[in-house]
Amino acid sequence: MSSVPKIELNDGHSIPQLGFGVFQIPPEETAEAVARALEAGYRHIDTAQMYGNEREVGEGIRASGHDRAEVFVTSKLSNASHRPSDASEAFDETLSALGSGYVDLFLIHWPLPTRYDGDYVSTWNALEQWAAEGRARSIGVSNFEVEHLERLAAECDVVPAVNQIELHPYFQNEEVRRYGEVHGIATQAWSPIAQGEVLDDPAIGEIAERLGRTPAQVVLRWHIQRGSIVFPKSRTPARIEENFELFDFELGTEDMGRIDALDRGESGRNGPHPNEFDMVPS
Ligand SMILES: NC(=O)c1ccc[n+]([C@@H]2O[C@H](COP(=O)([O-])OP(=O)(O)OC[C@H]3O[C@@H](n4cnc5c(N)ncnc54)[C@H](OP(=O)(O)O)[C@@H]3O)[C@@H](O)[C@H]2O)c1
């Protein structure tokens, strides 16, 4: 079984560079999918309060027989719970749903600059508190733009350990990724294969065929070589295994450059823009 490199975070903890994402896996399928992923070798699961499947992530880990300490678990604060008192209640619910006294990494899922009077700073202060208590081993953000990160840097004590952002060959989100690199914030690439959209790209297809790999493996390997953390999602057992087989081949400089050149800038973005996204679940 291949071994997954670890990325050291700015707080001294480390995270497996490859994990398994459970967005859009229905709760009734999640425990089994997580157990399968652990069997395939993954030791890092990415969930969120808004995915509605934290409890089943905890169940899947317990059913696998692996110690809790062997698996790195990330969850994220619901957009409904940014006020510090709500956040605190929601965080307790996450720990209870996971059946664990701590979470390895906890993120603010979206900055929501047009909600809560634009105050994600007091929300971040709540995460700082849980980190100080050891209930969140590491804390970070998701979908934060440079201006949001700059505000945290100016007004808060703790620099986020990670920023989880949309990033794939068609939308490389370079300005935000670069800010993270310069300021010691690890980049996590969500939708790393653009939910499948990039897999039909002729350049990726050509590289995959030449190397005897699948397009998904080529794209995920590109992320790994750029230093991003990835957690592809799949409900399909064969793909869960396929997406884990990334550490017995390498992309050469030329192939890396060809994939870099696929960036479409803003028009390659599939998800909402973080400055505008304001969805709050009821
Ligand atoms: N922070 C955020 O705001 C945010 C937003 C989105 C996602 N995320 C995180 O990022 C994770 C991954 O992103 P994502 O789920 O949006 O998209 P993704 O991982 O880029 O793509 C998932 C899609 O690709 C298919 N797929 C997976 N492996 C494949 C393969 N080897 N060959 C062909 N198709 C394949 C899956 O189909 P099947 O499932 O049918 O196999 C699914 O439809 C999420 O699960 C979540 O943890 C975070």
Side-chain angles (χ1 to χ4, degrees), residues 46 142-143 164 191 195 233-236 239 242-243:
D46 185 88
S142 177
N143 299 300
Q164 183 176 130
S191 287
Q195 300 203 333
K233 168 263 179 186
S234 179
R235 297 164 73 172
T236 315
R239 288 174 173 172
E242 173 187 329
N243 296 343

Side-chain angles (χ1 to χ4, degrees), residues 121-135:
V121 171
S122 59
T123 315
W124 181 248
N125 293 151
L127 271 71
E128 290 179 318
Q129 176 67 33
W130 308 330
E133 293 164 358
R135 294 195 300 149

Side-chain angles (χ1 to χ4, degrees), residues 17-18 167-170 172 192-194 198-228 230 232 239 241-262:
Q17 196 180 1
L18 173 65
L167 199 170
H168 46 74
Y170 289 164
Q172 296 181 21
I193 57 172
V198 297
L199 304 182
D200 294 328
D201 188 277
I204 290 167
E206 189 282 318
I207 297 168
E209 198 169 317
R210 178 160 37 79
L211 299 182
R213 291 288 167 162
T214 67
Q217 289 171 330
V218 166
V219 175
L220 294 169
R221 180 71 209 179
W222 170 80
H223 285 285
I224 295 285
Q225 287 184 212
R226 285 161 48 102
S228 297
V230 281
R239 288 174 173 172
E241 287 176 21
E242 173 187 329
N243 296 343
F244 192 75
E245 299 304 323
L246 307 180
F247 303 103
D248 56 351
F249 76 108
E250 262 185 49
L251 298 176
T253 314
E254 198 178 314
D255 287 339
M256 288 295 291
R258 281 179 75 194
I259 304 176
D260 290 345
L262 298 177

Side-chain angles (χ1 to χ4, degrees), residues 13-172:
H13 293 294
S14 59
I15 179 171
Q17 196 180 1
L18 173 65
F20 181 64
V22 297
F23 176 44
Q24 292 175 329
I25 301 190
E28 63 278 12
E29 287 181 28
T30 300
E32 197 185 329
V34 165
R36 251 180 218 288
L38 293 171
E39 202 174 310
Y42 297 80
R43 294 289 181 270
H44 163 188
I45 311 290
D46 185 88
T47 183
Q49 292 174 351
M50 290 193 288
Y51 301 170
N53 55 16
E54 291 171 302
R55 185 166 304 281
E56 293 75 13
V57 167
E59 281 170 18
I61 294 170
R62 280 189 297 281
S64 74
H66 288 285
D67 278 350
R68 169 68 186 86
E70 288 175 55
V71 186
F72 189 103
V73 180
T74 301
S75 193
K76 319 185 190 83
L77 183 69
S78 168
N79 289 356
S81 305
H82 274 218
R83 284 196 190 85
S85 59
D86 296 340
S88 186
E89 207 172 302
F91 182 65
D92 288 347
E93 281 166 21
T94 282
L95 297 187
S96 150
L98 291 171
S100 175
Y102 70 95
V103 65
D104 295 277
L105 174 64
F106 197 75
L107 312 180
I108 299 181
H109 204 150
W110 289 88
L112 304 178
T114 64
R115 295 266 183 188
Y116 304 103
D117 302 320
D119 177 18
Y120 42 81
V121 171
S122 59
T123 315
W124 181 248
N125 293 151
L127 271 71
E128 290 179 318
Q129 176 67 33
W130 308 330
E133 293 164 358
R135 294 195 300 149
R137 298 251 163 110
S138 295
I139 53 172
V141 293
S142 177
N143 299 300
F144 272 45
E145 294 286 295
V146 168
E147 68 199 86
H148 309 136
L149 295 167
E150 282 176 339
R151 184 163 165 211
L152 292 188
E155 298 181 32
C156 303
D157 295 330
V158 179
V159 176
V162 311
N163 188 16
Q164 183 176 130
I165 53 174
E166 181 177 350
L167 199 170
H168 46 74
Y170 289 164
F171 180 60
Q172 296 181 21

